[in-house]
Amino acid sequence: MEFADEARELLIVAPTNFVRERTARQRSVRKDDRALATRIGGLRKPAPAAWVIDLLAHDGSVDEAVELGPAIRRAQADADPDEIKRLRRQRSEVVAALAQAGADLASDAGHPVTPAVLDQVRATIEAAMADQHAGAAVRSGLLVRPLESAGFDAVDLDGALADPDAVPDAWSGTDAEPIPITSARRSRKGRRASRPEPEPETEPEQEPEPRVDPAAERRAARDAEAAARAESRDADAALDAAEQDLEAAEGRRADLERQLAEASAEVERAERARDQAEEASDRARDLLRAAQHHRRDVGR
């Protein structure tokens, strides 16, 4: 199997069983394909919301939501208010139904999710509708973190997929057709940029107020989000390593407990053998004393 196939199977395992299943799968393929085993060992456990999305993708449930996205974007590009209203209502119904379906799948897997996780599930589905690259990522079944659509900006897919090479349509640098609403926004920005800025009125002996640069604010917000996401990924990796260490320690403890049990049983057997030998020794001494008494009695 390819790594992407292995990852899809592991990413729908209940979170409490993920590390154990990953380790077992890694060991099972190591003999035949060490490179694949290494990649499996490095697979991150999905965030709870991403796990729910992967369950829905595995079930084929996200297709309708993703396919609704282009229609919404066309209606927005055409500025058709009636169609936009109808599609938005349909989007809300689809998102709510999918979130409930995901909650049901998680419960069936023995791992119910919290309302906060379901909020992230809904945000991820909405992102898949808003951005075609995000839609490809969601449909892949390889999601490891939830997604979020930030206004007109493209959805950030950095670190979102277990195997980005397996989902080229999710790459932000593909030659895929641009999203109409994004193109429209860029053209509006261009028109705004071409307009001359009015001369600001200033009062004598007064410092002008600093102008806010929205683009700089967005960049700063994206940088802060990227830093937080990197910290989250590092924390996830540390958690995975800790879980692996814990599993290994539990395995060693089980081995020691088994050895202790075997040693205890051996001690019990040795004690029984000692008791039996002691009883035999006592009987032999009794027989010896009886024989000595008999010999003395006969010699008289």
Side-chain angles (χ1 to χ4, degrees), residues 114-126:
T114 64
V117 169
L118 286 182
D119 285 343
Q120 292 181 329
V121 169
R122 283 187 282 268
T124 300
I125 297 168
E126 290 172 353

Side-chain angles (χ1 to χ4, degrees), residues 21 139 160 171 270:
E21 291 295 329
R139 294 178 80 167
W171 295 353

Side-chain angles (χ1 to χ4, degrees), residues 256-270:
L256 289 172
E257 288 176 346
R258 184 173 58 253
Q259 293 172 9
L260 179 60
E262 291 174 354
S264 297
E266 184 66 26
V267 168
E268 290 179 1
R269 286 193 294 270

Side-chain angles (χ1 to χ4, degrees), residues 168-300:
D169 289 342
W171 295 353
S172 60
T174 62
D175 295 327
E177 182 181 352
I179 300 170
I181 193 169
T182 305
S183 301
R185 175 178 179 266
R186 286 173 180 163
S187 64
R188 287 197 299 273
K189 284 178 65 180
R191 286 197 296 272
R192 286 199 300 270
S194 65
R195 295 175 184 170
E197 292 288 339
E199 290 290 332
E201 295 183 2
T202 58
E203 296 181 4
E205 300 180 359
Q206 224 179 12
E207 290 288 336
E209 292 185 4
R211 295 178 60 189
V212 176
D213 185 352
E217 284 192 342
R218 286 195 296 272
R219 284 195 299 271
R222 282 197 296 269
D223 290 344
E225 182 183 357
R229 184 170 293 116
E231 185 174 347
S232 175
R233 285 198 298 270
D234 291 343
D236 287 343
L239 174 60
D240 283 352
E243 287 177 335
Q244 285 182 305
D245 291 343
L246 175 61
E247 184 180 3
E250 287 176 343
R252 290 193 297 271
R253 182 179 66 180
D255 290 340
L256 289 172
E257 288 176 346
R258 184 173 58 253
Q259 293 172 9
L260 179 60
E262 291 174 354
S264 297
E266 184 66 26
V267 168
E268 290 179 1
R269 286 193 294 270
E271 287 176 343
R272 287 196 299 270
R274 180 202 61 190
D275 293 342
Q276 292 171 356
E278 189 175 1
E279 292 174 359
S281 176
D282 290 343
R283 289 195 299 270
R285 281 196 295 271
D286 291 342
L287 289 173
L288 175 59
R289 282 195 294 270
Q292 289 172 340
H293 286 311
H294 179 70
R295 180 177 56 79
R296 284 196 296 269
D297 290 343
V298 171
R300 290 178 188 155

Side-chain angles (χ1 to χ4, degrees), residues 51-79:
W51 171 64
V52 174
I53 292 292
D54 289 334
L55 288 175
L56 289 167
H58 179 75
D59 202 44
S61 302
V62 296
D63 294 347
E64 179 185 357
V66 173
E67 289 165 3
L68 184 61
I72 296 174
R73 295 195 293 271
R74 280 194 300 272
Q76 290 172 322
D78 296 340

Side-chain angles (χ1 to χ4, degrees), residues 120 123-124 126-127 145-151 153-156 225 229:
Q120 292 181 329
T124 300
E126 290 172 353
R145 68 166 177 83
L147 306 179
E148 186 176 4
S149 178
D153 291 339
V155 175
D156 182 7
E225 182 183 357
R229 184 170 293 116

Side-chain angles (χ1 to χ4, degrees), residues 136-152:
V138 163
R139 294 178 80 167
S140 72
L142 292 168
L143 211 63
V144 294
R145 68 166 177 83
L147 306 179
E148 186 176 4
S149 178
F152 293 107

